[in-house]
Amino acid sequence: MIINRDIIADISRDMTEIRHTIHRNPETGFKEESTSALVIRILEKYDINITTGLGKTGVVATITGTQPGREILLRCDMDALNVIEDTNLPYASENCGVMHACGHDGHTAIMLGVATYLAQHRDFSGKVHLIFQPAEERFAGALAVINDGLFTRFPEIDAVYGVHNWPGIPAGTIASRPGPLMACGGSWRMVIKGTGGHGAMPHQTTDPTVALGAIITNIQSIVSRNVSPVDAAVLSIAHIHAGDPDVRNVIPSEVIMSGTCRAYDNNVHSMVFERLKEVAEKTAAVYNCAAEVEVQYGYPAVVNDSEKMKVAEAAAMNTVGAQWDGDIKPVTPSEDFSYYQQKVPGVFAFIGNGESAALHTPKYDFNDNIIPLGIEYFLNIVKLELN
């Protein structure tokens, strides 16, 4: 399979314009109707099998090579965020309050570039499935796509690859690592209940605020004493509410506290949540109070397969040479790409966005100069997997 950088450059110029069009018309999770329609219009220019309706607005493009062989999956995401844009770009969002503040417009443009190239250069064996996925932000679009039958419709898929742009990593660098790359996430909410009562007669009450103080102290031991030093976890308190700030002589009858939990191992994550419940309930009981803990699991950890990492490393080195970083430190944000990795082995990687504004901020913008790098990286994946 020949990868021609001049052709990639020509395609990338068209994809840059498409990226700007998508940026002007951002859509949030499961509402990517115009984005999905645009993707389909471009794919229909070529002899590509198109599957729609996965995860409501998801689109799968299947490109068949000239020889029979294996099948792999390449993934991009399409959704935007509820952020008010503040960039003054000529292609700034025209959908007030919604913005491509995470670069999924760029990811979609890259994948459309891959589709355009492969549709015209099918000198590979097997099939490449490109998933244009909805709702990565908050709504687990990957899980919706899977539940709608992605792997039952395409049961021969045996590997998956994806990328995300990353501000702070130099433009022109591709970075990843074997094993854990992104954390699993989850949130929790705790209600501590007592009787409450008159602030001047605390001996006649059971005081949930005293239990709260003890619980805050005791849960600090979960990460320090229950998580192995060679693992990592974060258990943070984000919100506390008790009583009325204008009423100072009433001990409240309940206290509400909530927060987040992150880890790089899904089993560690589950253990922290179980210990949180146990510590809260038993500590509250010491003060004749009761604690109820609700937990909500987020996305699993992104854990890169060691064998597929060899493919990703070779593809990245063929694309950017010495600007490949194969030992980046794990990061604590989560990604629903992990749901694909629970089905088949795969690798997620970062493409440096340069010194841009941070992800999920009003001044962020995707770096158009990395579109050809993303296209070439995916093409090298195809070349190595389906040679």
Side-chain angles (χ1 to χ4, degrees):
M1 179 177 173
I2 298 173
I3 298 175
N4 188 310
R5 287 183 173 175
D6 290 334
I7 296 174
I8 292 174
D10 289 339
I11 292 173
S12 296
R13 282 188 282 272
D14 293 335
M15 294 306 112
T16 298
E17 292 302 315
I18 290 169
R19 203 279 288 187
H20 294 176
T21 298
I22 297 172
H23 192 94
R24 285 192 194 94
N25 301 280
E27 298 167 301
T28 54
F30 296 125
K31 298 178 181 178
E32 306 93 341
E33 294 180 1
S34 68
T35 307
S36 181
L38 174 61
V39 167
I40 292 169
R41 285 198 302 274
I42 294 169
L43 296 175
E44 286 178 338
K45 296 178 182 178
Y46 306 100
D47 182 20
I48 295 175
N49 184 49
I50 301 171
T51 304
T52 61
L54 296 175
K56 295 184 180 179
T57 53
V59 179
V60 178
T62 300
I63 303 171
T64 303
T66 56
Q67 299 294 326
R70 294 172 45 246
E71 300 180 20
I72 65 171
L73 178 67
L74 307 180
R75 177 268 201 168
C76 74
D77 38 20
M78 302 187 294
D79 57 321
L81 287 156
N82 291 113
V83 173
I84 299 174
E85 184 162 357
D86 183 24
T87 62
N88 295 316
L89 292 166
Y91 49 86
S93 171
E94 296 176 2
N95 184 2
C96 184
V98 181
M99 175 192 174
H100 271 292
C102 202
H104 297 183
D105 51 344
H107 302 164
T108 303
I110 286 171
M111 198 60 75
L112 285 170
V114 174
T116 301
Y117 191 101
L118 289 177
Q120 300 173 76
H121 303 83
R122 297 175 182 253
D123 48 338
F124 60 91
S125 301
K127 294 180 180 179
V128 182
H129 304 280
L130 315 178
I131 173 67
F132 296 83
Q133 181 206 301
E136 186 278 327
E137 305 286 357
R138 296 177 53 205
F139 300 117
L143 186 59
V145 164
I146 292 169
N147 288 341
D148 278 347
L150 174 67
F151 289 103
T152 54
R153 297 192 194 195
F154 309 106
E156 300 303 316
I157 292 173
D158 63 12
V160 61
Y161 295 89
V163 299
H164 201 295
N165 78 96
W166 208 258
I169 295 178
T173 294
I174 300 176
S176 191
R177 69 187 309 277
L181 177 68
M182 302 183 75
C184 52
S187 61
W188 55 270
R189 182 178 185 270
M190 183 185 304
V191 180
I192 307 166
K193 296 182 178 181
T195 62
H198 201 297
M201 295 181 286
H203 60 292
Q204 297 179 357
T205 74
T206 56
D207 188 346
T209 66
V210 177
L212 168 70
I215 290 170
I216 290 174
T217 299
N218 289 344
I219 65 174
Q220 304 308 310
S221 69
I222 296 174
V223 172
S224 66
R225 290 297 177 267
N226 299 132
V227 177
S228 168
V230 299
D231 293 323
V234 172
L235 181 63
S236 295
I237 298 166
H239 173 76
I240 297 174
H241 175 76
D244 185 331
D246 295 324
V247 180
R248 303 180 183 181
N249 63 347
V250 174
I251 294 172
S253 62
E254 71 174 31
V255 176
I256 298 172
M257 179 166 62
S258 59
T260 190
C261 175
R262 300 291 169 111
Y264 294 112
D265 184 302
N266 297 319
N267 293 325
V268 170
H269 191 235
S270 298
M271 181 275 294
V272 171
F273 271 154
E274 290 303 313
R275 285 292 291 148
L276 176 65
K277 292 180 181 179
E278 184 180 15
V279 171
E281 291 169 359
K282 293 184 176 181
T283 303
V286 171
Y287 299 92
N288 293 318
C289 293
E292 299 173 357
V293 182
E294 298 176 356
V295 301
Q296 182 174 350
Y297 285 89
Y299 302 159
V302 171
V303 181
N304 287 333
D305 180 79
S306 58
E307 288 302 312
K308 294 304 176 184
M309 191 69 200
K310 297 174 184 177
V311 176
E313 180 173 33
M317 292 183 70
N318 289 343
T319 303
V320 298
Q323 287 185 272
W324 158 247
D325 181 354
D327 193 27
I328 192 173
K329 291 182 179 180
V331 298
T332 49
S334 300
E335 237 286 350
D336 72 354
F337 182 83
S338 54
Y339 288 112
Y340 301 112
Q341 291 177 310
Q342 291 184 335
K343 297 293 184 180
V344 295
V347 171
F348 199 62
F350 299 139
I351 298 182
N353 205 57
E355 295 305 317
S356 69
L359 300 172
H360 292 212
T361 62
K363 293 188 179 296
Y364 167 84
D365 188 37
F366 182 88
N367 186 343
D368 290 328
N369 293 325
I370 68 176
I371 290 176
L373 294 180
I375 295 172
E376 185 175 346
Y377 170 72
F378 278 126
L379 293 177
N380 274 304
I381 292 286
V382 174
K383 180 177 181 178
L384 290 164
E385 283 279 13
L386 305 180
N387 190 11

